[in-house]
């Protein structure tokens, strides 16, 4: 089970990497394409600035490549090796997977990138 306080929680849900109390993104749904990469300036709970410097998220392009490859390999394994489709069908499945999951891949890459530089701080979480 993935709980708040785990780096994986912030990566999968796009939560603030410091306090895990709110989403970093203006819109939680990545398929609102006009807002896919719109990120809040800072966390309203702990005040963490998400953009540590101008162009900070350019580095997530490198992560995006690896995440895209992982999705492509998964599509290939499922279509070609498990379902046993033809090679051309497996290729089409890879293309459709990359297009269909593009907003998720982009956000996941940003989440991984920012979590490389920030860690959860339980002292920032307000006790109720």
């Amino acid at each position: 089970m993935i709980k708040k306080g785990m780096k994986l929680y912030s990566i999968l849900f796009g939560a603030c990497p410091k306090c895990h109390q709110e989403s970093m993104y203006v819109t939680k749904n990545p398929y609102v394409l006009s807002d896919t990469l719109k990120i809040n300036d800072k966390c309203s709970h702990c005040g963490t600035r998400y953009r540590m410097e101008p162009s900070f998220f350019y580095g997530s392009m490198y992560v995006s490549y690896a995440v895209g490859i992982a999705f492509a390999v998964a599509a290939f394994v499922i279509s070609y090796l498990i379902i046993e489709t033809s090679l051309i069908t497996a290729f089409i499945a890879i293309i459709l997977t990359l297009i269909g999951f593009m907003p998720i891949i982009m956000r996941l890459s940003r989440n991984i990138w920012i979590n490389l530089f920030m860690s959860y701080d339980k002292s920032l979480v307000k006790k109720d």
Side-chain angles (χ1 to χ4, degrees), residues 15-24 40-52 114 118-119 121 123-126:
C16 171
K18 286 281 190 180
C19 70
H20 295 186
Q21 296 301 307
E22 74 172 15
S23 176
M24 293 189 303
N40 294 314
D41 291 327
K42 63 181 183 172
C43 178
S44 65
H45 291 277
C46 68
T48 298
R49 290 184 58 229
Y50 298 130
R51 294 182 186 184
M52 294 179 263
I114 198 166
M118 293 185 188
S119 296
D121 185 356
S123 68
L124 295 175
V125 181
K126 297 172 186 160

Side-chain angles (χ1 to χ4, degrees), residues 48-112:
T48 298
R49 290 184 58 229
Y50 298 130
R51 294 182 186 184
M52 294 179 263
E53 59 188 43
S55 306
F56 171 71
F57 285 107
Y58 280 158
S60 69
M61 290 187 298
Y62 298 104
V63 177
S64 178
Y65 179 74
V67 173
I69 294 296
F71 273 74
V73 167
F76 176 78
V77 167
I78 291 168
S79 65
Y80 189 72
L81 299 178
I82 295 176
I83 301 175
E84 297 180 353
T85 63
S86 68
L87 203 52
I88 191 74
T89 306
F91 178 72
I92 292 168
I94 291 169
I95 299 298
L96 293 176
T97 298
L98 290 176
I99 291 170
F101 285 100
M102 184 179 54
I104 291 174
I105 291 170
M106 290 183 337
R107 279 201 177 178
L108 198 57
S109 300
R110 280 184 162 215
N111 297 347
I112 292 169

Side-chain angles (χ1 to χ4, degrees), residues 3-16:
K3 300 178 186 177
K4 287 184 178 182
M6 298 173 68
K7 207 170 263 293
L8 194 56
Y9 180 87
S10 178
I11 290 170
L12 292 178
F13 298 107
C16 171

